[in-house]
């Protein structure tokens, strides 16, 4: 049967009218589904038993479930999430003293081929549906309240998959998460991370979602970036920058460049100077991400001197730079490590 959560509010209204019911029934059901994240039609207690039975004859709800939960020594929680068709993705709860962040997936596997990322080695099986994305957020919100006694504060689309390659469902899931008749979370606490697809960046800018944007950059030298992220040879850095400028003009939001520094790959002065030139073209900041090994030995975290050199030169150029330390590395939950590994 079809998942009732694939219906829009208008489609729900038409459905209830076809049953001889009042249109307001649609809003009641919509609230159960998207505000309360209910996974059982039978538990919609403001509907009559007869009506619930009618709905159940035509529609179902296909929720996600936690196949395996792992806890890191630093408090990070990784969920192995099973979908209704048996496929698996992973989502992560990252706690700090002031916030809890959900790192959610948008695809089963990934469409891209970044050399340093474990997820890229998985075949892309399919895009996640809107409800499957929202369910991850609702799940981690419950875990945040259970384990850390506070609601989820931030969301990053940095899990498995390239969000821009599942554009329609990612955008609609953000609307469900942020709208008052959905989860009601602030869009300014949501970051969409992309490897850089210019056309889709511009489309996202036109959506007026008020979310933040992060670009997985890793090198501002064209040839080097194409080696690190082979798919990017289709999307020149000049085209990406044009899209980022459009983003800033439309939204007024600063762009974050996500950047790993690897030993012998992008740890030289020429790499830093190229990054500075790229950053100077648009209001931006840089997150230097501690690399998390994926077992092939090709990419190794740079030494501390190289990292400090990046920070020193970026700050001297007037560019805000933050060092993002790895979280959840002991359970393969850190950035770039999500690959449905159980740790067993």
């Amino acid at each position: 049967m079809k998942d009732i959560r694939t219906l829009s509010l208008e489609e729900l209204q038409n459905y209830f009218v076809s049953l001889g019911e009042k249109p307001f029934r649609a809003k009641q059901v919509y609230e159960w589904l998207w505000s309360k994240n209910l996974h059982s039609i039978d538990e919609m207690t403001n509907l009559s038993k007869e009506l619930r039975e009618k709905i159940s004859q035509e529609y179902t709800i296909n929720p996600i479930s936690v196949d395996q939960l792992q806890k890191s020594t630093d408090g990070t929680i990784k969920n192995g999430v099973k979908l209704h068709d048996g496929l698996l993705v992973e989502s992560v709860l990252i706690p700090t003293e002031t916030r809890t962040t959900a790192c959610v997936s948008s695809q089963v596997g990934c469409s891209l081929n970044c050399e340093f990322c474990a997820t890229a080695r998985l075949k892309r099986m399919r895009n996640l549906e809107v409800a499957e994305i929202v369910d991850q957020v609702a799940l981690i919100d419950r875990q945040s309240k259970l384990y850390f006694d506070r609601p989820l504060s931030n969301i990053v689309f940095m899990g498995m998959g390239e969000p821009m390659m599942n554009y329609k469902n990612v955008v609609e899931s953000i609307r469900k998460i942020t709208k008052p008749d959905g989860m009601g979370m602030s869009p300014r606490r949501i970051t969409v991370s992309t490897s850089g697809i210019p056309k889709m960046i511009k489309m996202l800018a036109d959506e007026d979602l008020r979310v933040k944007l992060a670009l997985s950059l890793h090198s501002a030298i064209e040839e080097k970036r194409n080696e690190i992220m082979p798919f990017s040879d289709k999307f020149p850095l000049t085209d990406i920058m044009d899209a980022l400028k459009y983003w800033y003009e439309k939204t007024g939001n600063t762009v974050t460049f996500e950047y790993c520094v690897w030993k012998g790959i992008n740890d030289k002065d020429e790499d830093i100077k190229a990054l500075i030139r790229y950053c100077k073209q648009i209001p931006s900041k840089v997150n230097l991400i501690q690399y998390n090994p994926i077992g092939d030995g090709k990419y190794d975290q740079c030494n501390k001197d190289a990292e400090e050199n990046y920070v020193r030169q970026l700050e001297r150029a007037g560019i805000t730079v933050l060092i993002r330390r790895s979280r959840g590395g002991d359970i393969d939950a850190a950035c770039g490590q999500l690959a449905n590994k159980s740790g067993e």
Side-chain angles (χ1 to χ4, degrees):
M1 288 188 290
K2 189 175 183 180
D3 192 324
I4 194 170
R5 295 182 295 179
T6 61
L7 301 183
S8 66
L9 179 57
E10 183 180 359
E11 288 170 329
L12 279 172
Q13 289 172 338
N14 293 336
Y15 169 65
F16 282 111
V17 169
S18 74
L19 294 180
E21 295 286 338
K22 298 292 184 182
F24 76 86
R25 292 296 182 197
K27 287 190 176 181
Q28 291 179 316
V29 171
Y30 196 87
E31 182 181 355
W32 283 115
L33 297 175
W34 299 112
S35 180
K36 299 179 180 178
N37 196 242
L38 192 75
H39 290 159
S40 170
I41 293 170
D42 196 48
E43 293 178 19
M44 297 179 181
T45 52
N46 54 358
L47 306 181
S48 69
K49 183 178 180 181
E50 180 184 6
L51 180 55
R52 281 177 274 158
E53 288 175 351
K54 283 183 181 180
I55 298 170
S56 298
Q57 289 170 5
E58 296 187 55
Y59 293 101
T60 188
I61 298 175
N62 294 317
I64 64 171
S65 59
V66 177
D67 186 62
Q68 184 179 37
L69 184 149
Q70 292 175 270
K71 294 181 181 179
S72 168
T73 54
D74 64 23
T76 299
I77 295 173
K78 182 173 77 169
N79 296 293
V81 173
K82 181 175 284 188
L83 310 175
H84 69 91
D85 55 4
L87 294 175
L88 296 171
V89 295
E90 293 179 340
S91 59
V92 183
L93 167 58
I94 307 163
T96 68
E97 291 183 2
T98 58
R99 65 176 63 180
T100 51
T101 299
C103 179
V104 300
S105 294
S106 57
Q107 294 180 308
V108 184
C110 187
S111 308
L112 307 182
N113 57 357
C114 301
E115 290 282 330
F116 58 88
C117 181
T119 310
R121 300 182 178 187
L122 302 177
K123 179 182 177 182
R124 189 194 74 83
M125 304 295 289
R126 67 172 174 85
N127 289 333
L128 292 189
E129 298 295 334
V130 174
E132 293 171 329
I133 297 171
V134 176
D135 274 358
Q136 291 176 74
V137 175
L139 166 67
I140 293 177
D141 182 47
R142 292 193 295 271
Q143 290 178 335
S144 180
K145 293 170 183 173
L146 176 63
Y147 294 108
F148 302 101
D149 198 29
R150 58 183 185 267
L152 179 67
S153 59
N154 295 73
I155 301 166
V156 292
F157 282 82
M158 295 183 186
M160 299 172 71
E162 164 56 62
M164 297 298 189
M165 300 298 283
N166 186 15
Y167 182 84
K168 181 180 177 181
N169 289 347
V170 166
V171 167
E172 184 57 30
S173 71
I174 291 171
R175 297 195 193 282
K176 291 286 193 291
I177 292 164
T178 58
K179 282 189 173 181
D181 59 0
M183 295 185 69
M185 295 188 67
S186 170
R188 300 191 184 281
R189 293 184 174 271
I190 298 175
T191 299
V192 178
S193 178
T194 178
S195 296
I197 304 170
K199 177 182 176 181
M200 311 310 288
I201 292 172
K202 290 180 178 179
M203 286 177 62
L204 189 66
D206 289 332
E207 296 285 352
D208 192 29
L209 291 175
R210 294 181 294 136
V211 297
K212 297 177 181 178
L213 180 70
L215 179 81
S216 185
L217 184 61
H218 309 303
S219 179
I221 299 172
E222 194 84 60
E223 299 78 12
K224 193 168 290 190
R225 187 170 194 263
N226 291 344
E227 291 176 9
I228 297 168
M229 308 165 74
F231 80 93
S232 67
D233 62 1
K234 300 174 185 176
F235 308 112
L237 285 170
T238 51
D239 290 356
I240 294 174
M241 180 52 69
D242 286 344
L244 296 178
K245 288 178 178 178
Y246 183 84
W247 165 269
Y248 182 74
E249 289 168 4
K250 293 286 290 189
T251 69
N253 286 342
T254 298
V255 173
T256 298
F257 292 115
E258 305 283 359
Y259 200 101
C260 284
V261 185
W262 294 288
K263 186 185 299 182
I265 293 178
N266 62 348
D267 57 353
K268 305 292 190 297
D269 277 351
E270 65 178 25
D271 300 294
I272 303 173
K273 288 179 171 58
L275 176 58
I276 290 171
R277 288 194 298 271
Y278 202 69
C279 290
K280 285 287 189 180
Q281 297 179 66
I282 188 175
S284 58
K285 66 178 182 178
V286 175
N287 278 349
L288 290 182
I289 303 171
Q290 181 181 352
Y291 181 61
N292 308 291
I294 59 174
D296 63 358
K298 183 176 180 181
Y299 289 83
D300 292 317
Q301 172 71 20
C302 70
N303 60 45
K304 192 169 182 62
D305 287 344
E307 182 180 79
E308 290 176 350
N309 192 25
Y310 259 92
V311 172
R312 183 168 53 252
Q313 292 199 44
L314 285 166
E315 288 182 340
R316 189 181 301 153
I319 297 165
T320 299
V321 55
L322 300 172
I323 297 176
R324 227 174 74 194
R325 296 301 180 197
S326 175
R327 300 293 302 275
D330 58 328
I331 55 171
D332 293 313
C335 192
Q337 290 186 318
L338 301 186
N340 291 329
K341 290 171 67 177
S342 68
E344 297 178 351

